[in-house]
Amino acid sequence: MKAPGFMKLLAQLPSLNQPQRLQLLAVLHPAAGLDRVVALIAEIRAPRRRCPDCACERCHRHGQANDLQRFRCCQCGRTFNDLTGTPLARLRLKAKWLDYLAELLDSRTVRSAAEHIGVHRNTAFRWRHRFLHWVKHDRPQQLTGIVEADETFLLESQKGSRKLDREPRKRGGKAALRGISRHLDCILVARDRSGQTIDAVTGRGALKKSQLVQHLLPRLDPQALLVTDTNAAYRAFAGDHAIAHECVNLQAGERVRASGNVAIHVQNVNAYHRRFKEWLARFHGVASWRLPNYLGWRWALDGGRITSIEQLLRIAIRLIHI
Ligand SMILES: [Zn+2]
């Protein structure tokens, strides 16, 4: 539209009544959503824009495609856009992405998110896991000071699998085996007293020392004081790696113990387990292999750590801590 016509249109807007204003907003919303998300993607990726093939930082603009600017690498000639190589590459309906991120921030179920933003449920489900794919890697580099660690268990789920490797369960079923068995997924959570948290799905069954070496050791400050329950795996792990270690004997009813001026307990990490499970309940069972995505999602939301859709998009398309 030419400028004089646009000025005339603008001048008429104050005379709209409320239903008309709402209609106008509804018409503009998708286009505005697209403009905003495209601008944000460019802003997030520009500082680290490089060729996905040869990592060369020199590139020049090379037309537009799928609403995004394309670039051509000066060294190898490959063309790419700001989403090439990210989990969001080739995902469609960009105009709705920011609305979808708001649904993620609100922990909406697939059904409710799909209804709110007007996409198919399968799309909402696919988007959930594409958006969370890198979010789960956004973790603190290191836990320091007093570090509580404890494991919790969830009934393993093969939801969505075509082939089960066990007898099917009735809805809301229980594990067929008692105690900590191969029918339970073990989730290790470690949290320092500043609230930094890491977690890992260590596999089915009881926690092993080797899993602590794999998941906890790389993120544990060597000077940290590890606090756990009396599970022998932690004691052996701490002994092998010369990590200061204190236990609290939960089985004997001990909850808090003082050691010098330090309160020895695992209440922060147990509260984190509780919050995770309460939050997870709304999804009515999630497939075991997708658990890391849900843990990452929960960590983003916990304690109001991520509060805006811009922050969420930033970590969905830019690796921060790897
Ligand atoms: Zn290149």
Side-chain angles (χ1 to χ4, degrees):
M1 183 181 273
K2 287 186 177 161
F6 179 64
M7 295 311 288
K8 203 170 157 193
L9 178 71
L10 271 185
Q12 287 173 339
L13 290 182
S15 62
L16 298 180
N17 62 26
Q18 197 225 14
Q20 290 167 335
R21 282 196 296 274
L22 290 178
Q23 273 184 44
L24 187 66
L25 281 177
V27 170
L28 290 178
H29 185 79
L34 180 63
D35 292 344
R36 228 176 118 209
V37 79
V38 165
L40 259 173
I41 290 167
E43 184 196 314
I44 293 166
R45 297 289 289 188
R48 296 185 182 195
R49 186 176 292 135
R50 57 185 60 196
C51 169
D53 257 8
C54 69
C56 172
E57 288 175 14
R58 287 181 306 113
C59 58
H60 47 76
R61 289 167 182 271
H62 193 74
Q64 295 252 341
N66 303 319
D67 304 312
L68 291 177
Q69 176 67 49
R70 282 197 80 73
F71 301 94
R72 189 164 192 275
C73 172
C74 293
Q75 195 164 287
C76 72
R78 156 117 193 233
T79 61
F80 59 95
N81 66 35
D82 278 334
L83 295 179
T84 304
T86 76
L88 304 192
R90 288 189 289 277
L91 218 54
R92 298 167 56 176
L93 304 175
K94 290 184 190 66
K96 298 191 174 192
W97 286 8
L98 294 181
D99 290 340
Y100 181 73
L101 284 165
E103 301 290 313
L104 270 185
L105 267 187
D106 282 346
S107 304
R108 298 275 182 197
T109 62
V110 163
R111 183 186 294 256
S112 132
E115 277 170 14
H116 282 171
I117 63 170
V119 296
H120 192 273
R121 264 177 286 163
N122 294 351
T123 305
F125 185 73
R126 191 168 59 248
W127 284 11
R128 172 188 282 176
H129 291 289
R130 291 281 193 95
F131 279 94
L132 294 176
H133 193 67
W134 280 3
V135 169
K136 70 169 174 279
H137 296 305
D138 177 44
R139 295 310 165 97
Q141 291 283 54
Q142 209 168 45
L143 305 180
T144 55
I146 300 165
V147 177
E148 300 175 24
D150 200 6
E151 72 277 21
T152 190
F153 295 90
L154 281 176
L155 197 54
E156 66 84 20
S157 163
Q158 297 172 40
K159 198 173 181 178
S161 305
R162 281 164 202 264
K163 257 185 160 176
L164 297 183
D165 62 13
R166 55 161 165 72
E167 287 291 300
R169 280 183 213 117
K170 294 216 173 94
R171 202 183 167 92
K174 293 192 175 115
L177 303 173
R178 279 160 167 247
I180 297 167
S181 73
R182 62 190 159 78
H183 289 180
L184 295 174
D185 289 317
C186 179
I187 299 167
L188 170 70
V189 177
R191 185 169 171 90
D192 70 21
R193 297 252 165 114
S194 75
Q196 299 286 0
T197 305
I198 61 156
D199 52 59
V201 180
T202 58
R204 293 189 197 169
L207 182 69
K208 299 180 191 72
K209 186 178 75 175
S210 60
Q211 293 165 336
L212 289 168
V213 173
Q214 184 188 346
H215 298 290
L216 183 57
L217 190 60
R219 297 294 171 99
L220 191 62
D221 176 3
Q223 306 303 317
L225 170 64
L226 181 65
V227 179
T228 68
D229 64 12
T230 50
N231 182 337
Y234 295 109
R235 197 174 306 151
F237 163 76
D240 283 2
H241 298 279
I243 292 160
H245 181 218
E246 292 273 357
C247 295
V248 57
N249 194 346
L250 295 174
Q251 263 109 23
E254 186 179 45
R255 297 193 153 272
V256 187
R257 182 163 59 76
S259 171
N261 54 5
V262 175
I264 302 300
H265 64 78
V266 288
Q267 290 175 350
N268 294 311
V269 82
N270 287 158
Y272 193 85
H273 289 162
R274 202 162 47 244
R275 289 199 298 279
F276 175 65
K277 287 184 173 179
E278 281 169 9
W279 171 83
L280 197 68
R282 77 192 62 201
F283 303 117
H284 303 292
V286 302
S288 291
W289 70 278
R290 297 213 194 255
L291 267 178
N293 281 2
Y294 289 88
L295 284 160
W297 186 1
R298 181 62 222 165
W299 163 235
L301 301 176
D302 195 70
R305 207 173 61 83
I306 302 292
T307 53
S308 74
I309 51 181
E310 287 82 2
Q311 286 174 301
L312 201 51
L313 182 65
R314 203 170 280 278
I315 58 175
I317 61 173
R318 199 185 78 171
L319 283 179
I320 296 176
H321 284 308
I322 279 190

